[in-house]
Structures are given as structure tokens and as C-alpha cells.
Amino acid sequence: MQERAFLVGLDYQRKPLMPPRESLRELARLARTAGATVVGQALQRRPRPDPATWIGAGKLEEIQAARETTGYSLVIFDEQLSPAQQLRLESALGVKVLDRSALILDIFASRARTREAALQVELAQHEYLLPRLRGQWRHLERTEGAIGARGPGETQLETDRRLVGARISHLKRSIKGVRKQRALHRRRRERDGIPVVALVGYTNAGKSSLLQALAGSEALTADAPFATLDPLTRRVGAPGGHAFLLTDTVGFIQKLPTQLISAFRATLEELESADMLLHVVDASSPAAAAQGETVLETLADLDLTGRPVFTVLNKADELELPDGSLPAAESDLARLDGENPAHESALAHPDLPHIGTLVVSALHGWGIDALRERLALDLFGERPPAPALAASR
């Protein structure tokens, strides 16, 4: 049975990368990706989050009342809640409460296909669960101290903590083995002298579609967040007889759980050995600039400063031309408005050298040849041959 989700956001005094309402729309997309039906939402404005319930008593009463009209069975908050906040909210609302981190972890768990991805997702889930274990045993805490009920709750809680801790240690050892294996592959590539270009971008920006367009390979593509988790590397031919390796990596998203960044470090280390980062941006998204900034901030947090970044503004076929129509052919790309919200000036980061921008449509193959030529120029200094002159009469 599909769960009926009610979404809750908070607009408070800070400078978010993405406007709160746009963030709620993204949360709705994530909820639908996880298999839920969104039946309602609420956005609370406060000077600061309420330490007890995040949203405050008044808004909590409104959400309680909304259950009669919406019939929600799940409430999802667009922030990471503390374990205590989550417990209070579940007690007050009488339904399961998730935060954005738990929702993203659930989607990652459903998308993991390889052993490597499964290990990384399970580690992130256990690290998220560990501080929340007490809530799993609150039914025993109600009788704590009563005759015949002293001790079991705490005993089971401590047992679970030891089991989860042991599992986390095991997963970290397994992932350490994955990191060693990846390091061997990277050293082999370095010996072969083949440049590596890593695709990075906000989730659903079209990285896999671009990989498929450049390499001509079959890569899983879907109009959904986190359609692919596992790194995929393909060899791409370039002008002048050159070739480079193109690696797709996991997509980023705002408010990405810290547990995921830590757990997926083995995968993200692929970025450290890349000669260039190809930043793919969904140019058709109204939040394109905020999404691009999220990616660049995450790259900087991963200590990838100094790595050259080339920006690809994807999904150009969905951008309006000056006359209000949509592009119908590759030649229309030159007519696109330079003040697009994903313009390169909005996608610069002081610690990541920006070396260029190109507008493409991976879906239709528009701009792909130009992108391949530009990559060859940056990687090998190879310019495409000049067109042959027509014979004089």
C-alpha cells in the first residue's frame, strides 16, 4: 500500500541556497521517487527552529488537524531532525515521521545495485540509526521501573548499540578494501597515461544522458533523483586520435546527509584523480543557479580545490528562445538568452578554476561534437582540423 505523505518545511532567518518553497517542491519529488503519494504540505515561518518540535506548537496543531482532511500516514520534514525532535513529533502526530536525510537514505538503499553501493548505503543508514536507537525501545520505557519490567529496555538498547557498532566497524573494514581496490585501478590508469574526466552535478541534471551521448554507451537514464549510484567509466574518442576516460559519479543534492558523504568517500575519491571535472547543470530548472552552487560547495568541502571545472548547461531543448518558442534544432542554441539562471557567472567558485561553459542537449545530441572538441583542446591541446577550402574556379 502506497504511503500518503505530508511535507513540512521551515523558513527561518538564514540564507538558504534554495528558496524554501522550491526546496519543498524538491522534497515532494524525492517522496514520489521513494514511492509515496504527497497529499499535503505546510511551510512555517519562524525566527529560528523550535528546539522541541522544530516548527512550534501552533503549526504542530495545524498539521495534526490536517490529518482528518488528507489522511496522511507519514510526515516528512525538509531538514534533519534530532532524535529527540523526531520522538516528540511521532508521539504528537501518531504517525511515522521522517526527515530529509532518512528519505534520501531510503532512496539510496532502493537504488544500490552493486556490492560497493550496498555497503556504502548500509554504513550511512547504520550511522544515522545509531543515535536514534532509544526511540526503537520507547514502548518498554513506558513501564521502566515497574515490577517485572525493570531492565529489559535498557538491556536490549545496549545490546542493539553493540550490534550496530559492530556492524559499522565491519562495513568500514569492507569499504576500506573497496578503497584499496579503487586505488589500484587509479594507479593503473595513471600508468597508462589516459586522462580522466569526472562527471559531477546535481541529481537529475542529466549526467548519465551526457555519458551516453559522449561515449555512445548504454547507461541507465531516468527522469528521477538518484537514478544511478554506481560509478560508471567509459572510454571516449577525441579528435586527433586521442581518447580519455569519462566517469559518472553519484549526484549531489542540497542538505545531503553527512553520513552519505562520509560513506561514499570511496566512490567520491574518483574525483580526486580526475584531470577535469565536467559540471553538468540542468539549465531548464528554475533553481539551476542554487543547484550549481550546491555542487560546487560540496566539491570544495571534499577538498577538491584547484581542480579545473568545465560547466555543461544541459537540457537546452527545454529553454525558451527570445520569441518564446523552444529550440527545434541544434542551430537554435546560438539564439538562447545569455542571461539564463544557470549562466556561468552564477556557477563560479573561488577555489575551483572555471575553464569554460557550453550549452548542450544530451537528449537530442545537440552540442555534443562541440563539447568533445573542447575537451580534446583542454586535455591534449588538440584543435579540430580547419574545414577544407572549396576549389577555386
Side-chain angles (χ1 to χ4, degrees):
M1 182 178 176
Q2 202 169 41
E3 294 195 76
R4 298 170 63 83
F6 191 94
L7 312 181
V8 183
L10 184 65
D11 183 1
Y12 58 102
Q13 291 178 352
R14 58 170 185 159
K15 185 185 176 183
L17 287 175
M18 190 176 293
R21 291 199 179 278
E22 184 63 35
S23 185
L24 263 183
R25 281 193 286 271
E26 182 177 86
L27 186 68
R29 186 175 179 84
L30 289 169
R32 287 191 290 269
T33 299
T37 299
V38 178
V39 296
Q41 64 179 41
L43 180 64
Q44 170 72 321
R45 289 183 176 85
R46 293 177 56 91
R48 63 189 61 84
D50 180 76
T53 63
W54 189 257
I55 50 173
K59 183 59 70 172
L60 183 58
E61 290 178 2
E62 288 182 27
I63 297 171
Q64 287 171 323
R67 190 176 182 186
E68 294 183 11
T69 56
T70 63
Y72 65 74
S73 58
L74 168 68
V75 177
I76 307 175
F77 282 73
D78 194 29
E79 300 281 349
Q80 181 162 320
L81 301 171
S82 71
Q85 287 169 338
Q86 186 174 355
L87 275 176
R88 292 190 193 99
L89 288 165
E90 286 190 341
S91 177
L93 296 171
V95 297
K96 180 169 58 177
V97 171
L98 297 180
D99 58 18
R100 174 183 268 255
S101 294
L103 180 62
I104 292 175
L105 288 170
D106 184 81
I107 295 171
F108 268 61
S110 68
R111 293 287 193 267
R113 294 290 180 267
T114 64
R115 178 176 178 271
E116 176 183 349
L119 284 171
Q120 293 174 127
V121 172
E122 187 182 352
L123 174 60
Q125 286 179 315
H126 278 77
E127 289 182 331
Y128 176 85
L129 172 65
L130 189 58
R132 290 166 171 79
L133 278 176
R134 178 170 290 278
Q136 308 296 319
W137 293 97
R138 62 185 182 275
H139 60 289
L140 292 178
E141 290 174 0
R142 296 193 195 103
T143 58
E144 188 176 354
I147 296 175
R150 294 171 183 153
E154 187 64 19
T155 301
Q156 186 61 57
L157 177 63
E158 291 304 318
T159 300
D160 282 359
R161 280 177 174 159
R162 284 195 297 273
L163 290 173
V164 172
R167 183 61 180 167
I168 287 174
S169 298
H170 171 75
L171 290 167
K172 285 182 174 179
R173 287 194 298 271
S174 299
I175 291 174
K176 189 175 181 180
V178 170
R179 295 176 72 176
K180 288 181 179 178
Q181 191 66 31
R182 283 199 169 277
L184 288 173
H185 289 311
R186 284 195 295 271
R187 284 198 291 271
R188 191 176 303 137
R189 289 199 301 259
E190 289 169 2
R191 285 198 303 270
D192 292 340
I194 302 178
V196 177
V197 177
L199 288 165
V200 297
Y202 208 79
T203 182
N204 209 41
K207 295 187 292 84
S208 296
S209 296
L210 188 62
L211 173 70
Q212 187 171 320
L214 279 169
S217 64
E218 290 300 322
L220 175 63
T221 59
D223 185 19
F226 307 117
T228 55
L229 291 186
D230 303 301
L232 184 63
T233 300
R234 291 291 181 265
R235 187 184 180 96
V236 179
H242 298 291
F244 61 90
L245 297 179
L246 186 61
T247 297
D248 190 9
T249 56
V250 63
F252 298 136
I253 196 169
Q254 64 152 347
K255 306 172 188 174
L256 193 66
T258 54
Q259 296 92 345
L260 269 179
I261 295 177
S262 175
F264 271 76
R265 188 161 292 275
T267 296
L268 296 173
E269 280 176 353
E270 290 294 309
L271 304 178
E272 295 178 3
S273 62
D275 297 277
M276 182 193 303
L277 303 179
L278 209 57
H279 180 195
V280 186
V281 180
D282 177 1
S284 68
S285 170
Q291 292 174 355
E293 189 175 348
T294 296
V295 173
L296 295 178
E297 289 291 341
T298 304
L299 293 175
D301 291 343
L302 290 169
D303 295 326
L304 293 170
T305 54
R307 197 75 54 188
V309 178
F310 189 93
T311 303
V312 177
L313 302 182
N314 191 26
K315 304 189 183 181
D317 53 298
E318 299 179 25
L319 296 176
E320 283 191 2
L321 296 170
D323 61 4
S325 64
L326 294 178
E330 185 172 7
S331 57
D332 289 333
L333 298 186
R335 298 171 54 206
L336 289 172
D337 184 6
E339 295 304 316
N340 182 271
H343 191 256
E344 62 180 285
S345 62
L347 298 174
H349 191 282
D351 297 325
L352 295 162
H354 187 237
I355 60 175
T357 303
L358 199 62
V359 180
V360 309
S361 169
L363 178 65
H364 296 289
W366 300 344
I368 298 302
D369 289 340
L371 176 59
R372 191 179 286 110
E373 290 171 0
R374 176 57 195 267
L375 292 176
L377 176 62
D378 287 326
L379 293 170
F380 310 106
E382 186 76 31
R383 292 186 179 275
L389 296 175
S392 60
R393 295 180 180 178

